[in-house]
mmCIF file of all heavy atoms in Angstrom:
data_model
loop_
_atom_site.group_PDB
_atom_site.id
_atom_site.type_symbol
_atom_site.label_atom_id
_atom_site.label_comp_id
_atom_site.label_asym_id
_atom_site.label_seq_id
_atom_site.Cartn_x
_atom_site.Cartn_y
_atom_site.Cartn_z
ATOM 1 N N VAL A 235 118.501 91.817 89.333
ATOM 2 C CA VAL A 235 118.937 93.026 88.617
ATOM 3 C C VAL A 235 118.355 93.044 87.208
ATOM 4 O O VAL A 235 117.892 94.080 86.721
ATOM 5 C CB VAL A 235 120.475 93.113 88.571
ATOM 6 C CG1 VAL A 235 120.922 94.261 87.660
ATOM 7 C CG2 VAL A 235 121.035 93.293 89.965
ATOM 8 N N LEU A 236 118.340 91.897 86.561
ATOM 9 C CA LEU A 236 117.782 91.810 85.210
ATOM 10 C C LEU A 236 116.299 92.202 85.212
ATOM 11 O O LEU A 236 115.857 92.967 84.342
ATOM 12 C CB LEU A 236 117.955 90.384 84.676
ATOM 13 C CG LEU A 236 117.336 90.101 83.301
ATOM 14 C CD1 LEU A 236 117.988 90.970 82.229
ATOM 15 C CD2 LEU A 236 117.460 88.618 82.946
ATOM 16 N N ILE A 237 115.545 91.695 86.178
ATOM 17 C CA ILE A 237 114.119 92.014 86.244
ATOM 18 C C ILE A 237 113.919 93.501 86.549
ATOM 19 O O ILE A 237 113.069 94.169 85.936
ATOM 20 C CB ILE A 237 113.434 91.147 87.318
ATOM 21 C CG1 ILE A 237 113.414 89.679 86.877
ATOM 22 C CG2 ILE A 237 112.016 91.631 87.586
ATOM 23 C CD1 ILE A 237 112.622 89.434 85.611
ATOM 24 N N ARG A 238 114.689 94.044 87.491
ATOM 25 C CA ARG A 238 114.539 95.465 87.846
ATOM 26 C C ARG A 238 114.863 96.376 86.671
ATOM 27 O O ARG A 238 114.138 97.333 86.387
ATOM 28 C CB ARG A 238 115.441 95.811 89.040
ATOM 29 C CG ARG A 238 114.880 95.410 90.389
ATOM 30 C CD ARG A 238 115.571 96.166 91.518
ATOM 31 N NE ARG A 238 117.000 95.887 91.549
ATOM 32 C CZ ARG A 238 117.564 94.915 92.279
ATOM 33 N NH1 ARG A 238 116.801 94.133 93.035
ATOM 34 N NH2 ARG A 238 118.864 94.727 92.256
ATOM 35 N N GLU A 239 115.971 96.096 85.999
ATOM 36 C CA GLU A 239 116.374 96.942 84.875
ATOM 37 C C GLU A 239 115.387 96.819 83.715
ATOM 38 O O GLU A 239 115.136 97.794 82.995
ATOM 39 C CB GLU A 239 117.784 96.559 84.410
ATOM 40 C CG GLU A 239 118.870 96.881 85.415
ATOM 41 C CD GLU A 239 118.916 98.370 85.741
ATOM 42 O OE1 GLU A 239 118.800 99.191 84.804
ATOM 43 O OE2 GLU A 239 119.050 98.712 86.925
ATOM 44 N N THR A 240 114.822 95.640 83.533
ATOM 45 C CA THR A 240 113.801 95.466 82.496
ATOM 46 C C THR A 240 112.568 96.307 82.820
ATOM 47 O O THR A 240 111.995 96.962 81.940
ATOM 48 C CB THR A 240 113.402 93.985 82.377
ATOM 49 O OG1 THR A 240 114.555 93.201 82.063
ATOM 50 C CG2 THR A 240 112.356 93.800 81.291
ATOM 51 N N ALA A 241 112.162 96.297 84.077
ATOM 52 C CA ALA A 241 111.009 97.098 84.492
ATOM 53 C C ALA A 241 111.258 98.581 84.250
ATOM 54 O O ALA A 241 110.377 99.308 83.765
ATOM 55 C CB ALA A 241 110.701 96.839 85.968
ATOM 56 N N VAL A 242 112.464 99.054 84.574
ATOM 57 C CA VAL A 242 112.800 100.475 84.361
ATOM 58 C C VAL A 242 112.723 100.825 82.882
ATOM 59 O O VAL A 242 112.148 101.848 82.497
ATOM 60 C CB VAL A 242 114.212 100.774 84.914
ATOM 61 C CG1 VAL A 242 114.655 102.181 84.485
ATOM 62 C CG2 VAL A 242 114.226 100.659 86.430
ATOM 63 N N ALA A 243 113.297 99.961 82.039
ATOM 64 C CA ALA A 243 113.316 100.238 80.600
ATOM 65 C C ALA A 243 111.904 100.215 80.014
ATOM 66 O O ALA A 243 111.554 101.064 79.182
ATOM 67 C CB ALA A 243 114.209 99.213 79.890
ATOM 68 N N LEU A 244 111.095 99.258 80.429
ATOM 69 C CA LEU A 244 109.727 99.168 79.906
ATOM 70 C C LEU A 244 108.871 100.355 80.370
ATOM 71 O O LEU A 244 108.063 100.879 79.604
ATOM 72 C CB LEU A 244 109.087 97.850 80.348
ATOM 73 C CG LEU A 244 109.607 96.583 79.684
ATOM 74 C CD1 LEU A 244 109.036 95.346 80.366
ATOM 75 C CD2 LEU A 244 109.254 96.573 78.194
ATOM 76 N N GLN A 245 109.045 100.743 81.620
ATOM 77 C CA GLN A 245 108.230 101.844 82.143
ATOM 78 C C GLN A 245 108.501 103.145 81.399
ATOM 79 O O GLN A 245 107.620 103.989 81.246
ATOM 80 C CB GLN A 245 108.504 102.025 83.636
ATOM 81 C CG GLN A 245 107.452 102.849 84.368
ATOM 82 C CD GLN A 245 107.553 102.678 85.869
ATOM 83 O OE1 GLN A 245 108.629 102.468 86.418
ATOM 84 N NE2 GLN A 245 106.430 102.767 86.547
ATOM 85 N N LYS A 246 109.720 103.316 80.908
ATOM 86 C CA LYS A 246 110.078 104.534 80.188
ATOM 87 C C LYS A 246 109.318 104.673 78.866
ATOM 88 O O LYS A 246 109.019 105.788 78.437
ATOM 89 C CB LYS A 246 111.584 104.572 79.920
ATOM 90 C CG LYS A 246 112.419 104.862 81.152
ATOM 91 C CD LYS A 246 113.902 104.899 80.810
ATOM 92 C CE LYS A 246 114.745 105.195 82.042
ATOM 93 N NZ LYS A 246 116.201 105.206 81.717
ATOM 94 N N VAL A 247 108.993 103.555 78.232
ATOM 95 C CA VAL A 247 108.328 103.639 76.933
ATOM 96 C C VAL A 247 106.810 103.552 77.044
ATOM 97 O O VAL A 247 106.107 103.857 76.085
ATOM 98 C CB VAL A 247 108.832 102.534 75.970
ATOM 99 C CG1 VAL A 247 110.324 102.670 75.748
ATOM 100 C CG2 VAL A 247 108.492 101.157 76.503
#
Side-chain angles (χ1 to χ4, degrees):
V235 172
L236 176 62
I237 292 298
R238 280 199 299 268
E239 292 301 318
T240 301
V242 171
L244 288 171
Q245 197 164 31
K246 287 181 180 179
V247 300

